[in-house]
């Protein structure tokens, strides 16, 4: 394909120079042996120059950076210096040899310097074309490699964030279990059963960036069950979800993280329970809110749970959490995605 293109350009160049000569305009359709030899020589020279330029540029580009103006200037200068002696050689052959072996020397027009100048201009155009093509190809390749690297980094980062979530949740669960073992062994057994079901869900979805909303809500029900076993009536979960679409998705354990965050940072008791409301904004987002009742003597939180969830959401769907934090309420808006 590339040689067909080069051949077409070479023939075009021949006719361009032929038409710009006054003495050939009246003989455009008059072809003899000299015209054919001139055409053949022009095509051969252009193809030869083009092949030399292309091979040299691609060979040199491996050693010279073409991602900067300096690199492009160096490469084009080297290619031009390489072409100069070849241009003069081909011009000399055309001007001093071919016209004497041809039967029609009158077809060989122009002086040596004119022919050399024309050849030099053609060489510059070829060099410019090859450098532009090489630059575009490298730019596309670099963009694709950069995109691939970003995807791999995102996948690695997502995996790292998941690994931070799992130990965190397990640690909190064991803390709850240790309390239950001392208080009520029967409830501890039920807790262990539910905990195993929950961790099975975690392991099954460990490599997933998003899960179906229905699966996440089933997981949340198990978590709330365990939560109430520990805190009894001290925690009230108000479920106001009205979503019926089964094609909605979100990061695994995301709602659980928000409920856990509310429990961790707010004061509550059986006489003064904490109400956590879970609702939705149509099919756009899940909203988890609770009144702010800051615990006394609570050390400043790192908010690592919310940060990890926000990062997982960003990597999975390109969206972020929307947090409303004022003196009365703490609310998190968790965007949903559709399959």
């Amino acid at each position: 394909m590339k040689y067909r293109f080069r051949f077409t350009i070479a023939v075009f160049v021949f006719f361009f120079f032929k038409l710009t000569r006054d003495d050939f305009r009246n003989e455009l359709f008059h072809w003899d042996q000299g015209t054919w030899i001139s055409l053949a020589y022009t095509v051969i020279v252009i193809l030869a120059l083009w092949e030399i330029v292309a091979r040299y540029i691609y060979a040199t580009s491996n050693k010279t950076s073409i991602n900067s103006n300096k690199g492009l200037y160096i490469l084009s200068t080297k290619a031009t210096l390489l072409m100069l002696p070849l241009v003069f050689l081909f011009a000399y052959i055309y001007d001093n040899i071919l016209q004497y072996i041809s039967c029609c020397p009158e077809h060989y027009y122009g002086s040596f310097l004119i022919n050399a100048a024309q050849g030099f201009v053609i060489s510059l155009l070829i060099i410019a074309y090859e450098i532009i093509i090489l630059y575009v190809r490298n730019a596309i390749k670099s963009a694709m490699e950069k995109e691939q690297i970003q995807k791999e980094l995102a996948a690695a980062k997502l995996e790292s964030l998941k690994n931070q979530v799992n130990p965190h949740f397990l640690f909190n669960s064991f803390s709850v279990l240790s309390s239950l073992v001392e208080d009520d062994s029967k409830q501890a057994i039920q807790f262990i059963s539910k905990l195993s079901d929950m961790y099975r869900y975690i392991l099954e979805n460990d490599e997933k960036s998003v899960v179906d909303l229905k699966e996440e809500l089933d997981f949340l029900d198990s978590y709330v069950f365990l939560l109430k076993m520990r805190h009894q009536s001290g925690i009230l979960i108000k479920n106001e979800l009205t979503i019926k679409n089964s094609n909605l998705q979100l990061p695994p354990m995301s709602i659980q993280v928000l409920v856990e965050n509310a429990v961790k940072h707010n004061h509550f008791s059986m006489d003064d329970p904490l109400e956590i409301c879970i609702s939705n904004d149509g099919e756009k987002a899940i909203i988890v809110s609770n009144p702010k009742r800051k615990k006394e003597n609570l050390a400043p939180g790192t908010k690592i749970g919310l940060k990890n969830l926000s990062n997982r959401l960003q990597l999975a769907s390109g969206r972020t959490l929307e947090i409303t934090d004022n003196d009365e309420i703490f609310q998190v808006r968790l965007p949903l995605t559709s399959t």
Side-chain angles (χ1 to χ4, degrees):
M1 183 67 180
K2 66 178 181 180
Y3 291 108
R4 186 183 305 172
F5 173 74
R6 293 178 186 178
F7 178 83
T8 303
I9 294 298
V11 173
F12 172 81
V13 169
F14 172 80
F15 278 102
F16 175 80
F17 288 126
K18 183 178 177 65
L19 289 172
T20 55
R21 297 290 177 172
D22 292 335
D23 53 343
F24 275 87
R25 289 174 184 171
N26 297 326
E27 301 180 14
L28 178 60
F29 301 103
H30 176 69
W31 289 62
D32 52 26
Q33 182 180 352
T35 305
W36 285 108
I37 292 176
S38 180
L39 171 61
Y41 186 76
T42 301
V43 171
I44 291 173
V45 168
I46 291 178
L47 292 179
L49 289 175
W50 206 323
E51 186 68 18
I52 293 172
V53 167
R55 289 180 179 271
Y56 178 81
I57 287 177
Y58 281 93
T60 309
S61 64
N62 295 327
K63 302 177 182 179
T64 304
S65 174
I66 62 171
N67 295 325
S68 63
N69 293 333
K70 182 179 179 181
L72 291 174
Y73 176 78
I74 293 175
L75 184 58
S76 59
T77 301
K78 289 181 177 180
T80 302
L81 293 176
L82 174 67
M83 288 297 101
L84 274 176
L86 295 176
V87 167
F88 282 110
L89 174 62
F90 288 132
Y92 178 83
I93 294 174
Y94 183 84
D95 191 65
N96 296 281
I97 298 178
L98 287 186
Q99 63 175 310
Y100 295 112
I101 65 174
S102 172
C103 68
C104 306
E106 67 272 14
H107 286 287
Y108 296 87
Y109 45 82
S111 66
F112 168 79
L113 291 179
I114 292 177
N115 292 329
Q118 292 173 343
F120 182 70
V121 172
I122 294 172
S123 297
L124 290 179
L125 293 175
I126 293 174
I127 291 171
Y129 173 85
E130 288 296 330
I131 287 181
I132 291 173
I133 293 297
L134 181 62
Y135 181 83
V136 171
R137 287 177 179 174
N138 280 9
I140 295 175
K141 182 180 178 181
S142 297
M144 293 178 64
E145 290 176 349
K146 184 177 181 180
E147 182 180 0
Q148 182 63 29
I149 291 174
Q150 289 177 340
K151 288 182 179 179
E152 292 175 357
L153 289 175
K157 189 173 182 180
L158 178 60
E159 188 63 27
S160 174
L161 292 173
K162 287 180 180 178
N163 291 334
Q164 292 183 40
V165 171
N166 292 351
H168 179 67
F169 173 74
L170 184 61
F171 175 80
N172 287 340
S173 298
F174 282 156
S175 297
V176 173
L177 180 59
S178 63
S179 300
L180 285 177
V181 170
E182 296 178 357
D183 298 338
D184 192 330
S185 60
K186 292 184 179 180
Q187 284 192 349
I189 293 174
Q190 293 178 346
F191 188 93
I192 292 172
S193 176
K194 285 293 184 179
L195 181 61
S196 64
D197 291 340
M198 291 175 60
Y199 227 79
R200 185 180 299 110
Y201 169 86
I202 295 173
L203 294 175
E204 288 176 352
N205 295 282
D206 184 57
E207 297 183 358
K208 297 180 180 178
S209 59
V210 292
V211 295
D212 291 339
L213 176 60
K214 184 180 183 305
E215 296 179 17
E216 180 69 9
L217 293 178
D218 291 339
F219 170 77
L220 180 65
D221 288 340
S222 297
Y223 174 75
V224 170
F225 174 83
L226 301 183
L227 200 63
K228 288 185 176 181
M229 285 186 66
R230 175 66 180 91
H231 300 291
Q232 299 182 8
S233 59
I235 299 293
L236 298 178
I237 306 296
K238 189 176 181 182
N239 190 336
E240 297 182 349
L241 293 173
T242 59
I243 298 178
K244 298 181 180 180
N245 189 346
S246 60
N247 296 324
L248 300 175
Q249 295 183 321
L250 70 173
M253 295 191 301
S254 52
I255 304 178
Q256 177 266 330
V257 168
L258 299 179
V259 173
E260 183 183 41
N261 184 72
V263 173
K264 179 180 178 181
H265 292 92
N266 291 278
H267 169 76
F268 59 89
S269 65
M270 295 179 64
D271 295 330
D272 187 16
L274 174 67
E275 182 177 277
I276 302 173
C277 180
I278 304 175
S279 60
N280 61 285
D281 178 11
E283 297 180 356
K284 298 178 181 179
I286 297 292
I287 300 174
V288 179
S289 61
N290 60 270
K292 288 191 68 173
R293 300 160 57 178
K294 188 176 180 180
K295 291 182 178 179
E296 296 181 2
N297 302 322
L298 180 66
T302 61
K303 296 185 178 181
I304 187 172
L306 291 180
K307 288 179 181 178
N308 285 351
L309 176 56
S310 183
N311 288 336
R312 287 196 293 143
L313 183 64
Q314 174 69 31
L315 293 172
S317 65
R319 302 181 182 181
T320 57
L321 296 176
E322 298 179 18
I323 300 177
T324 301
D325 187 3
N326 53 44
D327 294 336
E328 297 181 356
I329 191 172
F330 186 84
Q331 176 180 287
V332 180
R333 180 184 174 92
L334 177 65
L336 297 170
T337 58
S338 180
T339 56

